[in-house]
Amino acid sequence: MYFLIFFSMPFPIFFSLLAAPRPHNPPAHPPQRGTPLGARRKRAPGPPRGHTRVPSPPFPSLPFPSPPEPSRAEPCRGQVARAAAAARGRAAQGRSRSASSAAASASSAAAWQRGGGGQAPAVATQSRAEPSRAEPGRASSGRRPPAPVAMSGAAPGAPKPLPSSGPKSLREMPHPLATSSSEEMGPALSPSPDLLLPRGIADKDLSLPNGTPVDTSSPASSSSLLNRLQLDDDLDGETRDLFVTVDDPKKHVCTMETYITYRVTTKTTRAEFDLPEYSVRRRYQDFDWLRNKLEESQPTHLIPPLPEKFVVKGVVDRFSEEFVETRRKALDKFLKRITDHPVLSFNEHFNVFLTAKDLNAYKKQGMALLSKMGESVKYVTGGYKLRSRPLEFAAIGEYLDTFSLKLGTIDRIAQRIIKEQLEYLVELREYGPVYSTWGGLEVELSEPLEGVSACIGNCCTALEELSEDMTEDFLPVLREYILYSESMKNVLKRRDQVQAEYEAKLEAVALKKEDRPKVPTDVEKCQDRVECFNADLKADMERWQNNKRQDFRQLLMGMADKNIQYYEKCLTAWESIIPLLQDKPETK
Amino acid sequence: KRKINFWMKNVSKKMEITVSEAEKRTGRNAMNMQETYTAYLIETRAVESQNEGQCSPVDSLWRRYSEFELLRNYLLVTYPHIVVPPLPEKRADFVWHKLSADNMDPDFVERRRIGLENFLLRVASHPVLCQDKIFYSFLTQEGGWKEMVNETGFQLKADSRLKALNATFRVKNPDKRFTELKHYSDELQSVISHLLRVRARVADRLYGVYKVHGNYGRVFSEWSAIEKEMGDGLQSAGHHMDVYAASIDDILEEEEHYADQLKEYLFYAEALRAVCRKHELMQYDLEMAAQDLTSKKQQCEELATGTMRTFSLKGMTSKLFGQETPEQREAKIKILEEQIQEGEEQLKSKNLEGRDFVKSAWADIERFKEQKNRDLKEALISYAVMQISMCKKGIQVWTNAKECFSKM
């Protein structure tokens, strides 16, 4: 949608809205489908008014991932097609970026640092991929609970993704929470004064990256507004308006079955929610249902993975504390990733999942609701064969293949290490007591030998803790990303299908050689779909890449930390017995 | 290399002793068959007491392990009341998988060289053993030493194993202290063996843990190739994982030294036991002699008084086949009396011998105990220091890796 603004706005006005002249790059990605509000969920009927439709050229090749420029949020330039797609005016919810990184990394950071107990508050930090280089001072860890928004300027000098100033003045921007079907440029609506401003550089609405709408009611000076808009990634969740936590697992024993439920707590200021707070209990099935619904309703987006459904009975105890806790963390991360996603978090199913007292009743209405919401976005895979994947998506596919391969290797290595450590532990457990036995034989050496025995015992305990932590915190995250990669590859395939369908239909039309003034509607619709899909996918990929980097950074730092702690514990133990060993006994 | 000065009393000079080199040799053995063995170079140098810096000429000669064994056996027999320092193990034992059990393996040879040097230093620092001429010749006289040792005829003095075993079971009045000491030495042997076995397994496992981390190095490197911002961090972290994996080799090599220190005392326990056994033997001997004397006295008495208090074959036969003549009886009595006198003298000297043995043995045992406590404490301290160093290295490597990850 940036494109719309860009193209239809006279340049001088455009530039005056900026704090400083900067190279303009089109925003990260065009707005995605699946808008947050009910009204906006309606698909744009056609090309935006006043815009000449430009037939999409074949997708040019792009290096992937996007070159690491500071303004990472910007898509590749010169993507006229994307501009056209953007111009369709789907209200974007913030930038496709790092939304889930915060929560994901926050919770995993917490898991590592707090030894897995308790969840970190679902603080979102829009950590930026590249700009973090330019802003070395910013701490991306150490997330704090929402604090009053510090609307001071962001780190200077770092080129930021463009705030969504557009051709129209800010006042004219339709408010993201407007209930009119204004996906395209509609009249500006006065926003509700209670609402927080959306952050984000989404098409024509001013929203900060996490979806908080920008308050356009007050005559904001361009600089202060810009300041606020620039804050996106800097705010440690102060302007987040949706927080979800999964905790408090409980076992339920019924006649038919025994299962675990988890408490899902929501705190929000969003208008889509009737209440500011919700607390419901959900079981794994419900999460699974949610994920399926999200995949159905948002097929162009990357849906986060769930922990594995089936566990081999007898091998893993489904009701053991460790298993339940590992699963809880994974479910929590799942919901947080959705919460952070500018499109998925506004999904109706998600809303219901978080709020409904009786989810089962809602599930049953499923079919009815589906049609009501007008999700005619079924991508029927008509079995079309794609000739070739555009280079950029091929690159994504290749990347995912290698990535999941490497992760698989790391998983195996980590498991092997844990196995070796446990075998080492077995021997150590025999080793320590022998010193004690020896001590029993001796007189003068008795204390030193006992000391060594105790010391080895302490090392055993430390090692045990290390292995446990690695099993509970490290391996699950690896597996999660492997699952993620798999589901992403499926989305890529779906995209291929959509493109194939379009190309086939286009070809059919071309063959007819009829003199038609314009391309038939259904072919146009296909093209729309392709462009939407590509745009959504690219946006999500970028977000995913950034989150992935954050997650792995945290994960690996955590692994290093645990090992450091292990050695520190052992060091303390050995250092403490040196004085004991050197002690001269009382002369008899 | 440790060079310690020793005061060799019998030659009245201080000597420096080292086993400086080891060399593979081939030669012909007693059956005239070709064999390969390792020879060790013993270097000695007389040190003028005041001027440490002054370099006297170094004498050197080559000895092989079997000659060391011969020396030790000689000392064992000649000084049964001394806890004789042990030799390093003949064959590599208590190995963990990476160590070779091959006697020709250079690491094993090196550790043996150190062990042999240690043996010589122990002997040279022993107040009694250092004065032995055979020991001195071992260090200084290349040719003809073997013959010299054999000429002492020490092999004949050696007690047979069978006799020793016999003694163990049939001593009636064992010295309590020696019994306890024997029990202690058995227990010590058992516990140190156990310790060494488990330590070897621990080393094996630890080796595995470290080495598997090396795989991280490789996969991080491969992974970094497909990443943009993450690439550098991953790559450099991978390097640290390689460093980590490699570090275990040095760590475990150092730990072998600790194992060797324990092994020395494992073998020392055997030497301790040998002293106890010698005492048992002497005690048994004494008891046998006393018993023999008593029975002779009794016989004499019987002959003199003509009464037969105890059953004897002679008494039976004389009853059956007729009494002896008084002259025959007189002759017998006379022989017995002579034997009794001899026996009493022998018993006296045996008793004296026994008391001397006990006295000097206990003196050496006390000395040994002090030495053992000192040495083992040192060994434990150096083991703890090794562990501390290992922990610190671990912290360093993982801190470096963490920093690399943080730059991802």
Side-chain angles (χ1 to χ4, degrees), chain A residues 130 399 406 414 417 423 427 430-431 435 438 441-442 444 548-549 553 556 561 567 583, chain B residues 184 187-188 194 201 205 210 216 222 226-227 229-230 244 258 372 377 383 402 405-406 408:
Chain A
E130 277 339 291
Y399 171 82
K406 294 306 151 196
I417 290 176
E423 288 178 347
E427 302 298 347
E430 194 184 326
Y431 185 52
Y435 280 99
W438 188 1
L441 283 181
E442 300 286 337
E444 204 177 303
K548 172 212 77 184
R549 188 179 69 88
R553 186 173 172 275
L556 293 169
D561 247 338
Y567 278 112
D583 221 13
Chain B
Y184 167 78
E187 299 274 288
L188 187 67
H194 189 192
R201 294 204 301 261
R205 292 299 176 193
Y210 271 74
Y216 273 147
E222 291 166 6
I226 60 167
E227 296 289 344
E229 314 106 71
M230 276 169 65
Y244 181 71
Y258 171 69
K372 176 205 75 173
K377 239 191 199 175
Y383 184 67
K402 183 178 173 185
F405 291 137
S406 75
M408 267 167 51

Side-chain angles (χ1 to χ4, degrees), chain A residues 42-284:
Chain A
K42 292 198 187 120
R43 297 202 54 225
R49 292 161 254 150
H51 238 264
T52 319
R53 198 150 186 308
V54 180
S56 11
F59 292 94
S61 60
L62 288 167
F64 180 86
S66 326
E69 300 150 5
S71 42
R72 204 91 189 300
E74 288 120 7
C76 306
R77 302 148 216 235
Q79 292 314 307
V80 177
R82 223 166 282 123
R88 212 141 302 121
R90 263 161 264 121
Q93 262 310 297
R95 301 182 307 154
S96 69
R97 98 140 42 182
S98 60
S100 64
S101 72
S105 39
S107 58
S108 52
W112 278 115
Q113 284 150 27
R114 295 173 206 189
Q119 269 296 312
V123 177
T125 300
Q126 297 290 334
S127 37
R128 179 173 303 174
E130 277 339 291
S132 55
R133 269 205 213 137
E135 301 140 13
R138 177 169 28 141
S140 57
S141 54
R143 312 195 183 274
R144 292 174 270 302
V149 176
M151 290 290 203
S152 49
K160 310 260 176 180
L162 202 57
S164 68
S165 42
K168 314 207 168 180
S169 80
L170 300 173
R171 282 264 180 90
E172 291 174 68
M173 295 292 139
H175 196 277
L177 299 181
T179 49
S180 71
S181 63
S182 51
E183 293 199 70
E184 35 273 280
M185 307 295 286
L189 302 167
S190 47
S192 153
D194 297 336
L195 293 165
L196 288 171
L197 304 180
R199 340 194 272 177
I201 301 95
D203 44 35
K204 57 220 179 248
D205 39 82
L206 296 166
S207 43
L208 300 172
N210 77 340
T212 337
V214 170
D215 181 13
T216 53
S217 55
S218 54
S221 72
S222 48
S223 55
S224 72
L225 179 65
L226 206 57
N227 284 343
R228 278 185 276 170
L229 293 175
Q230 283 171 351
L231 279 173
D232 50 354
D233 291 353
D234 296 345
L235 302 171
D236 281 335
E238 289 84 346
T239 56
R240 269 175 84 45
D241 60 354
L242 177 65
F243 300 91
V244 178
T245 313
V246 178
D247 62 5
D248 191 34
K250 277 198 165 52
K251 195 167 170 182
H252 297 256
V253 184
C254 308
T255 40
M256 295 296 287
E257 54 175 350
T258 306
Y259 59 90
I260 308 268
T261 63
Y262 304 84
R263 180 176 64 184
V264 178
T265 317
T266 308
K267 290 192 170 68
T268 182
T269 53
R270 288 191 185 177
E272 296 85 351
F273 294 85
D274 296 329
L275 301 174
E277 265 191 55
Y278 291 91
S279 179
V280 295
R281 293 211 78 95
R282 299 285 180 244
R283 54 186 290 191
Y284 183 91

Side-chain angles (χ1 to χ4, degrees), chain B residues 226-240:
Chain B
I226 60 167
E227 296 289 344
K228 297 271 166 147
E229 314 106 71
M230 276 169 65
D232 287 338
L234 273 178
Q235 176 90 8
S236 41
H239 161 72
H240 290 296

Side-chain angles (χ1 to χ4, degrees), chain A residues 65 130 133 399 402-403 406 409-410 413-414 416-417 420-421 423-424 427-428 430-431 434-435 437-438 441-442 444-445 448-449 452 474 548-549 552-553 556-557 559-561 563-564 567-568 570-571 574-575 578 581-583 585, chain B residues 184 187-188 191-192 194-195 198-199 201-202 205-206 208-210 212-213 215-216 219-220 222-223 226-230 234 244 258 262 372-373 376-377 380-381 383-385 387-388 390-392 394-395 398-399 402 405-406 408:
Chain A
E130 277 339 291
R133 269 205 213 137
Y399 171 82
T402 312
F403 177 72
K406 294 306 151 196
T409 307
I410 293 176
I413 295 172
R416 174 88 189 275
I417 290 176
E420 296 282 339
Q421 279 173 343
E423 288 178 347
Y424 172 56
E427 302 298 347
L428 270 189
E430 194 184 326
Y431 185 52
V434 181
Y435 280 99
T437 309
W438 188 1
L441 283 181
E442 300 286 337
E444 204 177 303
L445 291 175
L449 288 167
V452 171
F474 187 79
K548 172 212 77 184
R549 188 179 69 88
F552 276 97
R553 186 173 172 275
L556 293 169
M557 282 177 74
M559 169 172 93
D561 247 338
N563 276 281
I564 292 170
Y567 278 112
E568 280 179 345
C570 291
L571 180 65
W574 284 105
E575 281 183 334
I578 293 273
L581 294 175
Q582 289 174 329
D583 221 13
Chain B
Y184 167 78
E187 299 274 288
L188 187 67
V191 86
I192 297 184
H194 189 192
L195 194 63
V198 183
R199 192 211 70 91
R201 294 204 301 261
V202 166
R205 292 299 176 193
L206 190 62
V209 171
Y210 271 74
V212 178
H213 278 84
N215 293 331
Y216 273 147
V219 74
F220 282 169
E222 291 166 6
W223 182 10
I226 60 167
E227 296 289 344
K228 297 271 166 147
E229 314 106 71
M230 276 169 65
L234 273 178
Y244 181 71
Y258 171 69
L262 292 182
K372 176 205 75 173
N373 289 336
L376 288 175
K377 239 191 199 175
L380 289 175
I381 291 171
Y383 184 67
V385 167
Q387 300 303 309
I388 287 170
M390 181 173 90
C391 290
K392 284 187 175 165
I395 291 171
W398 282 103
T399 305
K402 183 178 173 185
F405 291 137
S406 75
M408 267 167 51

